[in-house]
Amino acid sequence: MVWPFGGSKRDTGSLPAPVTSNEPLVVDRAPTTSDSTTPSESKSPSPELPTFLSADSFDVSKLHPLAGLDKGLEALDLEDDALSDLPGSKGFLPSRGWSDDLCYGSGTMYMGGLALGGAYGLAEGLRQSPTSAPAKLKLNSVLNAVTRRGPFLGNSAGILAISYNVFNGLFDVYRSYHDAYNSIGAGLITGILYRSTKGIKPMAISGALMGTAAGVWSYLTSAI
Amino acid sequence: MADHTRDPCPIVIINDFGGAFSMGVIGGTIWHGIKGFRNSPSGERRSGAIAAIRSRAPVVGGNFGSWGGVFSIFDCAIKGIRRKEDPFNPILAGFCTGGALAMRGGFKHARNSAITCGCLLAVFEGVGIAMSSYMSRASKPQLPDMEGGVPLAA
């Protein structure tokens, strides 16, 4: 860093002895010999950077002791007034309400389904292409399989999550509190809707599966 | 301190994925429901609408979701590299997103798509800045009304 006011720190640290009068005053102004002091430099000690600005003495805990800065940035620490105040909705996951649940729930499910389906598609694409195929053909086969399997699983999982969270939020609003029955009912309706064009038996199976999954999930969130 | 409107960077990607996906699914349900209803012969309008929603709405949601999520990933990455937040972050992120999502169509397609997305995001950012400056004009500090050298409010 170029300190614009006066010489650098190295010059002031090793100030040469003042020149005596019987020696010829040789002032070499060539840029190669930076140790030689010009008269303007030797007249007054140049200002230094204040020591409290150096990095090792910078202690955030001393800046404002009440602010709790020494604990680091608590980014995921939602304050109490931002949290959802619905009775019974406090789990181990911080949430601002049903829209937070919807976004994070569907995002997690969608990305999880995408990753899982993508991995399955990757394995499938590698298996289907012969080992002697050129790399470009192999890449194309893998990409085709990934883009067929990944979005399908991701879309299905994401839609289940959206439907579950919407019904869960509706039940919460309707009953003005949250408990496991809301979750299980939302899961049941989601599962029934998901297979609603396939007939009674698949609807019942899918609804039972989703209701069980919702019950397990709400037990886990309340237990931790 | 805690920001109540938007979560910090790595985790907000999940939120953006989910939000964009939900928006796409709900919008796609409405769009393809109406389209399927209109395009079916009378008598099969309801089943046509349901079939169109079933087959098309998740795809619209997936397209929205992948766009929003990839955009958010690029936005976070650019914020991490540049270490500042200004309107160029979303513009650059939109450019990268457009390019990345059109990558399989070849270089020309990716380039055109990247430029289109960057311009679109630049327009969005410009409109946002104009709107916020227009909104803040109402709350500009004003000189107190002076009468006889004494402010009336004092």
Side-chain angles (χ1 to χ4, degrees), chain A residues 183-224:
Chain A
S183 296
I184 293 172
L188 205 69
I189 290 184
T190 300
I192 287 172
L193 269 182
Y194 184 64
R195 284 274 172 232
S196 59
T197 53
K198 299 279 191 226
I200 298 294
K201 203 179 164 192
M203 279 162 73
I205 293 171
S206 151
L209 275 178
M210 281 298 292
T212 315
V216 169
W217 169 246
S218 69
Y219 172 73
L220 283 179
T221 48
S222 62
I224 294 174

Side-chain angles (χ1 to χ4, degrees), chain A residues 77 96 103-104 110-111 140 159, chain B residues 2 4 7 15 17-18 58 104:
Chain A
D77 193 18
R96 300 184 190 88
C103 285
Y104 277 111
Y110 179 67
M111 285 171 80
N140 198 46
I159 275 173
Chain B
H4 294 172
D7 284 329
N15 197 336
F17 251 112
R104 286 199 82 188

Side-chain angles (χ1 to χ4, degrees), chain A residues 9-83:
Chain A
K9 194 179 172 186
R10 190 173 54 86
D11 287 337
T12 61
S14 61
L15 270 179
V19 264
T20 50
S21 58
N22 55 357
E23 281 179 358
L25 183 68
V26 179
V27 178
D28 191 1
R29 291 179 187 278
T32 49
T33 58
S34 58
D35 259 350
S36 74
T37 54
T38 56
S40 66
E41 262 181 328
S42 59
K43 220 185 291 176
S44 63
S46 58
E48 285 181 52
L49 267 178
T51 49
F52 65 85
L53 279 183
S54 64
D56 48 343
S57 70
F58 183 69
D59 188 5
V60 280
S61 61
K62 284 178 189 157
L63 273 182
H64 200 303
L66 292 181
L69 292 172
D70 51 329
K71 284 186 290 183
L73 188 62
E74 294 191 358
L76 281 181
D77 193 18
L78 288 183
E79 283 169 14
D80 280 343
D81 55 347
L83 289 174

Side-chain angles (χ1 to χ4, degrees), chain A residues 73-155:
Chain A
L73 188 62
E74 294 191 358
L76 281 181
D77 193 18
L78 288 183
E79 283 169 14
D80 280 343
D81 55 347
L83 289 174
S84 149
D85 51 358
L86 193 74
S89 69
K90 288 248 172 29
F92 78 105
L93 290 169
S95 165
R96 300 184 190 88
W98 71 273
S99 60
D100 237 21
D101 290 344
L102 176 67
C103 285
Y104 277 111
S106 57
T108 312
M109 289 293 280
Y110 179 67
M111 285 171 80
L114 207 61
L116 215 67
Y120 180 68
L122 180 73
E124 192 187 57
L126 283 177
R127 201 176 55 236
Q128 274 180 352
S129 57
T131 47
S132 61
K136 209 162 184 181
L137 216 61
K138 225 176 217 177
L139 179 72
N140 198 46
S141 158
V142 164
L143 279 177
N144 279 337
V146 166
T147 48
R148 188 171 66 242
R149 298 288 176 192
F152 175 73
L153 200 60
N155 288 344

Side-chain angles (χ1 to χ4, degrees), chain B residues 58-114:
Chain B
V59 177
V60 176
N63 289 345
F64 267 69
S66 56
W67 203 96
V70 171
F71 176 81
S72 188
I73 290 171
F74 275 119
D75 196 35
C76 280
I78 289 169
K79 270 180 204 164
I81 292 168
R82 293 185 67 212
R83 296 254 154 230
K84 57 177 166 179
E85 287 203 38
D86 59 6
F88 289 108
N89 285 351
I91 295 171
L92 285 173
F95 182 85
C96 295
T97 308
L101 289 183
M103 207 176 260
R104 286 199 82 188
F107 172 73
K108 242 180 169 174
H109 187 201
R111 183 199 60 197
N112 292 349
S113 172

